[in-house]
Amino acid sequence: VHRVITHIFVYEDLPSLAWGAAVIWCFGGSFERSVGTARHCLLTAAFALLSALLYLPLEAALSRGAGLEDPGGFTPVALAMLGASSARSGVRRTLLCGVPVPVLLLPWLLLGPACCLPGCSPLSALCGLLAGQAYGLGYCSCLDLPESVASKLDGVFPFSLLKRIPGLKYIPASSAERRAFESSKINPAPGAYPTQSYSCSSPPALPTFQPQHPAAQSPGFQQSCAVG
């Protein structure tokens, strides 16, 4: 039974592990910045569970005629996160290789290349995308945590421990705290950066030249002019 969640951490070889790490870095990091670290951890487990529950009956119905690859890896959860983000995005169109496409169709266009990744099960990837878009469209509203509960999760173990580990970037679960966190990076508080004061010294005095009368020139110069 534990495989319904832990299958996303199963990799058969080194190439599939490398691709799984790249998928986690690209899709998991952006999704965590949008929902917070606590929500990201809970939704990762929820998407893994939902995709597995969708996969089991489909695998039982389709495996009679052809053998299917066992699910494994983070790709189904990454597609679920992409599907949820596209369904809740306020942007209608985006660019894919320079071509404008609807945001809702973007996960479906990336489903084909994702199925070609090493160790990815096409049926499991499809189930993950369906689970993510179902959550994004509001069919799994029970997974949405209230702001009060989300803010309390930041002080509960193990999230309270993650906040104290140096080198880790913890994203608050509350949307208000995330906005304050992002605005503090854009507009730092006065004195956050070292400044250097420069003393303004008075400009140096320019040398003054007194005009000389032609009669005050040197006698040698007058004599040479006369001889010339």
Side-chain angles (χ1 to χ4, degrees):
V1 177
H2 66 277
R3 286 292 302 276
V4 296
I5 294 180
T6 58
H7 69 276
I8 63 176
F9 304 109
V10 176
Y11 296 96
E12 297 180 355
D13 49 13
L14 188 59
S16 61
L17 177 61
W19 279 110
V23 167
I24 292 174
W25 181 267
C26 295
F27 296 97
S30 60
F31 188 75
E32 181 182 1
R33 287 190 294 269
S34 62
V35 299
T37 302
R39 278 197 179 102
H40 170 74
C41 294
L42 296 179
L43 288 176
T44 297
F47 289 154
L49 178 62
L50 290 177
S51 62
L53 293 180
L54 285 175
Y55 175 86
L56 289 175
L58 292 177
E59 189 266 344
L62 298 176
S63 63
R64 299 175 182 176
L68 298 177
E69 186 177 357
D70 293 335
F74 197 79
T75 305
V77 178
L79 289 173
M81 293 177 179
L82 183 60
S85 300
S86 62
R88 298 196 174 189
S89 175
V91 182
R92 294 184 178 181
R93 289 184 174 272
T94 184
L95 293 178
L96 180 63
C97 299
V99 180
V101 295
V103 176
L104 285 176
L105 293 181
L106 180 62
W108 296 98
L109 296 177
L110 296 178
L111 178 61
C115 294
C116 299
L117 296 177
C120 177
S121 172
L123 182 59
S124 179
L126 175 62
C127 294
L129 180 55
L130 290 175
Q133 287 213 325
Y135 168 77
L137 294 175
Y139 295 107
C140 302
S141 58
C142 58
L143 299 178
D144 289 328
L145 298 178
E147 289 293 316
S148 58
V149 177
S151 60
K152 290 180 181 179
L153 284 178
D154 292 333
V156 178
F157 183 84
F159 306 113
S160 59
L161 179 62
L162 291 177
K163 297 170 64 175
R164 301 175 184 176
I165 298 178
L168 292 183
K169 183 180 179 182
Y170 187 87
I171 308 298
S174 174
S175 58
E177 295 181 6
R178 284 198 307 273
R179 287 194 297 267
F181 178 74
E182 294 295 332
S183 62
S184 64
K185 294 193 303 182
I186 299 175
N187 301 318
Y193 291 98
T195 57
Q196 183 176 357
S197 59
Y198 297 91
S199 59
C200 252
S201 58
S202 58
L206 297 176
T208 56
F209 298 94
Q210 295 293 336
Q212 295 182 358
H213 195 269
Q217 295 178 354
S218 61
F221 179 77
Q222 293 180 357
Q223 184 178 0
S224 60
C225 289
V227 173

